[in-house]
Amino acid sequence: MQVIRTVEAMRAWSLQSKRSGRRVGFVPTMGCLHEGHLSLVQLARRTADLVVVSIFVNPTQFLPGEDFEKYPRDPERDEALCRGAGVDVLFYPETGAMYAGDHSVFVDEQRLSSGLCGASRPGHFRGVLTVVAKLFNCVQPDVAVFGQKDVQQARLISRMVRDLDFPVEMVVGPIVREPDGLAMSSRNQYLAPAERQDALCLRRALDRVEDLFAGGEREVERLLAAMMEVFRAIPSARVDYAEIVDDVTLEPLQKLDRRCLVVLAVWVGKTRLLDNTLLTP
Ligand code: PAF
């Protein structure tokens, strides 16, 4: 595995690989890798000849007062995991390599980003889209793989690819869970042992909705109320949002007559956790 630290070297490697007719798969990450990331690497491997993983804790997607400084970083472990997963290139740029001191151009989406995490974290997706656009320009992948856990992010990046004509195929990999059902996330490490237990309320709330839906319940209000009941039983849990939205437009639904997503962002103590599930009538 090669470790590449500069944009120029990354671009040169990609051009060379593509000239030799090889398809480049790409998994962008912020490091602190876990099984969820490694499953995305496996997916990339299935559709590409070479796999690039980037690790870059992107400052522009953190709001003032968020956890940019304390975001978990473990470069040695990440590098070993990438080697073990058969990654071909680890792209590990310094912040200075990615953003000029007077950087002033951003990618801003106007519709899908207005609700859910976009409402709670204004400016977050502008940072995400900007860095992903930059990473696409550095890596020039044929296929890029993102996780379903960050479903709004995945939908927004697909929209950016479509609207800005990036020649990149998008693949979204399923949520990978701990054996007890908690969706894997680098931020799970922030949870104290009691909070780790409480965090299972997200999966429980989704299970509740899935069961009711399977039993024929189609009233959005009743499904949401059932989830809120689960959260009310956990004092450390504070719901940021719990919504049922259209799978494509991410707009809240009144009637469950098409594929929809149940999306959750819940604070457990000081950690904000995301989860979601798809319901198909
Ligand atoms: O999902 C993430 O880890 C990040 O938002 C991403 C896509 C790597 C952009 O910084």
Side-chain angles (χ1 to χ4, degrees):
M1 184 179 81
Q2 278 188 62
V3 180
I4 296 184
R5 312 243 3 155
T6 68
V7 169
E8 295 72 26
M10 186 66 246
R11 217 178 264 147
W13 179 91
S14 280
L15 281 179
Q16 167 88 26
S17 307
K18 292 167 109 164
R19 261 193 218 119
S20 66
R22 266 142 353 138
R23 200 170 140 82
V24 175
F26 180 38
V27 182
T29 81
M30 297 208 298
C32 192
L33 303 179
H34 50 67
E35 288 297 324
H37 296 113
L38 300 182
S39 74
L40 304 182
V41 170
Q42 300 318 324
L43 266 180
R45 168 72 58 215
R46 258 184 249 156
T47 52
D49 305 303
L50 297 167
V51 177
V52 179
V53 168
S54 66
I55 295 183
F56 179 65
V57 184
N58 171 38
T60 64
Q61 69 187 75
F62 290 80
L63 272 59
E66 287 191 343
D67 55 344
F68 173 65
E69 298 299 342
K70 76 165 194 169
Y71 193 83
R73 292 162 172 89
D74 196 342
E76 271 125 53
R77 183 175 166 277
D78 286 346
E79 198 176 318
L81 284 172
C82 285
R83 275 183 208 285
V87 168
D88 297 285
V89 168
L90 177 56
F91 179 41
Y92 216 139
E94 310 276 359
T95 304
M98 286 301 286
Y99 289 105
D102 58 351
H103 173 102
S104 59
V105 176
F106 292 86
V107 180
D108 210 356
E109 196 277 342
Q110 303 280 320
R111 192 169 294 172
L112 303 182
S113 58
S114 59
L116 308 178
C117 291
S120 316
R121 303 179 70 191
H124 165 68
F125 286 123
R126 186 173 96 132
V128 171
L129 293 179
T130 302
V131 83
V132 172
K134 288 165 71 62
L135 289 166
F136 281 178
N137 282 333
C138 300
V139 176
Q140 306 191 22
D142 297 288
V143 53
V145 188
F146 294 86
Q148 170 75 11
K149 186 181 71 67
D150 299 309
V151 62
Q152 189 177 15
Q153 166 174 285
R155 296 290 184 276
L156 276 161
I157 295 168
S158 295
R159 183 58 66 95
M160 176 183 80
V161 162
R162 187 197 77 178
D163 287 357
L164 298 185
D165 304 307
F166 280 96
V168 178
E169 183 191 324
M170 285 285 294
V171 172
V172 179
I175 298 178
V176 177
R177 298 181 179 280
E178 301 286 355
D180 61 7
L182 181 66
M184 287 196 182
S185 162
S186 306
R187 289 189 169 100
N188 289 351
Q189 338 190 328
Y190 297 155
L191 297 166
E195 292 172 343
R196 171 67 185 72
Q197 200 53 34
D198 289 350
L200 295 178
C201 64
L202 280 89
R203 181 63 257 184
R204 270 206 302 279
L206 295 178
D207 284 344
R208 194 82 210 282
V209 170
E210 283 173 0
D211 289 348
L212 289 168
F213 188 80
E217 181 58 80
R218 293 292 183 271
E219 281 292 324
V220 171
E221 290 302 311
R222 275 207 281 269
L223 293 170
L224 292 178
M227 284 204 293
M228 295 312 284
E229 212 177 280
V230 174
F231 296 125
R232 263 196 302 276
I234 306 292
S236 70
R238 183 168 56 80
V239 176
D240 179 4
Y241 61 74
E243 293 192 34
I244 301 182
V245 297
D246 183 287
D247 180 37
V248 178
T249 65
L250 302 183
E251 275 164 19
L253 286 178
Q254 303 308 325
K255 276 206 344 228
L256 301 189
D257 53 357
R258 65 196 98 153
R259 255 162 72 104
C260 58
L261 281 164
V262 185
V263 280
L264 295 177
V266 178
W267 289 93
V268 175
K270 292 198 169 121
T271 308
R272 187 170 172 277
L273 301 172
L274 302 182
D275 207 341
N276 66 80
T277 192
L278 198 64
L279 301 178
T280 311

